[in-house]
């Protein structure tokens, strides 16, 4: 029989706002598809969110909501480890060790930090060091594969650099990880820009009814008349539609666009229906889980212990390597 060691998957999502279709198709969906027991770890990056959120009740609420979202969307705590980043305080010690092999010039190139500085805003050290904490997240669990959206590639490349620098200096302590892009690494928002919690352009995973309809109907499209043949590849409605339907339905809508006499209003109605159907079971599961919030908290606590045990081991290796154990 095969004696190959199974690869370990790890990824995290910040609890910084309501999760949306970009988070689902860009991240959560593939996390749910990659569940291999102790070799799949998914966590809620609440330490990272401190770089943007300073309301403690809000942070607690959003942290719970991310767990609820994962469980509603099919993450099975018997098949994956779903935990809170803060249940593993070893990460902060590891971050300190990694800081000592990380060049300032590398962090100065980080997009989120650079953006802030370019806009004339002052950044704090938390934001500056964000990529090192993220490297700790990944390295602490001996992760091989980090499934993420496109916007996170730079962070994984930095993690690889940091791991290699540490290994070169202190011996082979860390596994150097790779990223894996989802099939939908870029999901547009209702304004056509990248869908993001912070751009006010998102459609929430659990949106329904009037709110959902309003958002779908306001998706930005070109102003071609109803009769005109249209290019589906240039349309935000089509980009969202094709995320959740069969290849047959995709071809059908493509044809409708190209032959003309098919308006964006038609396409939006079809999209609305598909979003409602696709997420209906997840909305139901969420309502069910909400009746028993202690279950969600128990899952986090139990999984937190498992994650902590793995990280303790790695941290010990790293401490020994630098001469602190
Ligand atoms: P946001 O931009 O809304 O704050 P995050 O940065 O918290 O989202 O991203 C969480 C995960 O979801 C990451 O893996 C990220 O790559 C993915 N993701 C976020 N927005 C999108 C999008 N519009 N398209 C594809 N993936 C996305
Ligand atoms: N920076 C990621 C985001 O904003 C969240 C994150 C933190 C993460 N630590 C991670 C993702 C480790 C993958 C692996 O989406």
């Amino acid at each position: 029989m095969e004696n190959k060691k199974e690869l370990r998957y790890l990824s995290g999502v910040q609890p910084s706002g309501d999760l949306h279709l970009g988070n689902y198709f860009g991240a959560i969906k593939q996390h749910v598809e990659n569940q291999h027991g102790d070799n799949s770890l998914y966590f809620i990056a609440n330490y990272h969110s401190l770089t943007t959120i300073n309301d403690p009740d809000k942070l607690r609420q959003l942290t719970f909501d991310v767990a609820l979202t994962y469980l509603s969307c099919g993450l099975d705590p018997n098949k994956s480890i779903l935990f809170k980043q803060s249940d593993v305080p070893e990460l902060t010690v590891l971050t300190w060790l990694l800081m000592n092999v990380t060049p300032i010039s590398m962090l100065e190139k980080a997009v989120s930090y650079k953006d802030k500085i370019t806009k004339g805003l002052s950044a704090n050290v938390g934001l500056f060091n964000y990529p090192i904490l993220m490297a700790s997240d990944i390295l602490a669990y001996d992760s091989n594969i980090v499934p993420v959206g496109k916007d996170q590639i730079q962070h994984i490349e930095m993690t690889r650099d940091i791991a290699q620098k540490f290994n070169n200096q202190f011996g082979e302590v860390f596994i150097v990880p790779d990223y894996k892009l989802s099939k939908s690494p870029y999901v547009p928002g209702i304004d056509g820009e990248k869908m993001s919690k912070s751009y006010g352009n998102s459609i929430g995973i659990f949106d329904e009814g009037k709110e959902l309809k309003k958002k779908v109907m306001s998706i930005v499209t070109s102003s071609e008349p109803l009769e005109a043949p249209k290019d589906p590849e240039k349309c935000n409605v089509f980009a969202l539609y094709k995320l959740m339907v069969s290849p047959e339905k995709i071809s059908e809508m493509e044809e409708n666009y190209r032959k003309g006499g098919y308006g964006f209003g038609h396409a939006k109605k079809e999209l609305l229906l598909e979003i409602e159907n696709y997420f209906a079971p997840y909305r139901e599961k969420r309502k069910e889980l909400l009746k028993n919030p202690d279950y969600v908290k128990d899952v986090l606590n139990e999984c937190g212990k498992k994650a902590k045990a793995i990280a303790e081991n790695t941290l010990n290796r790293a401490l020994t390597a630098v001469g602190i154990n």
Side-chain angles (χ1 to χ4, degrees):
M1 278 306 282
E2 206 174 351
N3 196 14
K4 217 167 72 181
K5 194 175 175 301
E6 204 175 350
L7 295 177
R8 179 168 282 167
Y9 286 73
L10 169 127
S11 195
V13 173
Q14 281 196 69
S16 52
D18 289 337
L19 298 183
H20 50 71
L21 301 195
N23 297 133
Y24 178 78
F25 289 105
I28 298 172
K29 183 168 183 273
Q30 59 168 341
H31 301 166
V32 172
E33 285 164 0
N34 280 306
Q35 300 200 66
H36 310 279
D38 287 356
N39 279 326
S40 47
L41 295 101
Y42 300 109
F43 70 93
I44 307 159
N46 54 351
Y47 281 147
H48 274 117
S49 281
L50 289 175
T51 56
T52 48
I53 296 185
N54 48 30
D55 173 341
D57 287 333
K58 188 171 169 202
L59 182 57
R60 269 186 280 272
Q61 183 61 45
L62 289 171
T63 303
F64 177 82
D65 278 352
V66 174
L68 190 63
T69 302
Y70 264 96
L71 294 172
S72 306
C73 292
L75 203 88
D76 179 348
N78 295 312
K79 294 189 190 156
S80 288
I81 303 180
L82 173 67
F83 65 104
K84 285 190 300 205
Q85 185 183 33
S86 56
D87 280 338
V88 189
E90 284 73 12
L91 294 172
T92 58
V93 180
L94 189 54
T95 299
W96 180 255
L97 302 190
L98 299 182
M99 277 189 210
N100 291 289
V101 294
T102 307
I104 290 180
S105 58
M106 178 197 290
L107 297 177
E108 280 171 341
K109 292 189 198 114
V111 176
S112 50
Y113 170 75
K114 246 179 20 191
D115 277 359
K116 210 159 185 181
I117 300 300
T118 317
K119 285 185 189 132
L121 301 168
S122 64
N124 60 32
V125 181
L127 185 73
F128 190 64
N129 282 351
Y130 185 113
I132 312 184
L133 178 58
M134 185 154 161
S136 297
D137 289 330
I138 297 169
L139 303 178
Y141 307 102
D142 291 333
S143 319
N144 303 101
I145 310 277
V146 189
V148 282
K150 240 182 197 163
D151 53 343
Q152 297 300 318
I153 294 178
Q154 187 191 34
H155 285 141
I156 316 298
E157 281 168 348
M158 286 182 176
T159 300
R160 290 172 57 86
D161 273 6
I162 293 172
Q164 273 154 353
K165 283 195 163 56
F166 190 99
N167 287 352
N168 285 342
Q169 207 161 323
F170 298 110
E172 292 297 310
V173 172
F174 297 120
I175 290 179
V176 180
D178 280 314
Y179 61 81
K180 181 172 176 226
L181 282 183
S182 66
K183 289 192 198 92
S184 327
Y186 183 90
V187 178
I190 54 183
D191 58 356
E193 297 297 315
K194 176 192 158 270
M195 189 178 285
S196 172
K197 294 171 206 127
S198 42
Y199 301 162
N201 66 353
S202 59
I203 298 176
I205 296 175
F206 302 107
D207 284 351
E208 57 184 328
K210 275 190 193 152
E211 194 192 357
L212 176 61
K213 186 169 180 191
K214 199 169 144 207
K215 288 186 184 170
V216 171
M217 291 305 158
S218 61
I219 295 173
V220 172
T221 55
S222 65
S223 53
E224 291 150 294
L226 182 86
E227 314 76 54
K230 302 171 181 70
D231 181 355
E233 294 310 326
K234 287 190 181 144
C235 181
N236 297 319
V237 181
F238 182 70
L240 291 171
Y241 182 78
K242 66 182 183 182
L243 294 172
M244 53 199 106
V245 299
S246 63
E248 293 74 29
K249 282 194 168 180
I250 295 179
S251 313
E252 210 178 295
M253 189 179 275
E254 254 172 343
E255 252 176 60
N256 284 333
Y257 267 76
R258 294 194 200 283
K259 75 172 188 255
Y262 181 81
F264 295 116
H266 294 128
K268 285 179 181 177
K269 277 194 192 133
E270 291 198 52
L271 172 64
L272 177 60
L273 200 69
E274 294 300 342
I275 297 179
E276 269 167 353
N277 290 340
Y278 191 99
F279 291 101
Y282 303 159
R283 283 197 300 270
E284 282 315 303
K285 180 83 198 241
R286 182 170 187 273
K287 284 175 195 157
E288 207 182 290
L289 287 168
L290 268 175
K291 291 184 200 150
N292 189 2
D294 282 348
Y295 167 76
V296 179
K297 289 178 193 158
D298 289 347
V299 165
L300 291 177
N301 287 338
E302 285 311 305
C303 289
K305 285 181 205 155
K306 287 191 201 167
K308 187 175 158 72
I310 303 174
E312 270 170 0
N313 210 315
T314 316
L315 178 62
N316 276 331
R317 246 168 33 220
L319 286 170
T320 305
V322 299
I324 289 189
N325 242 357

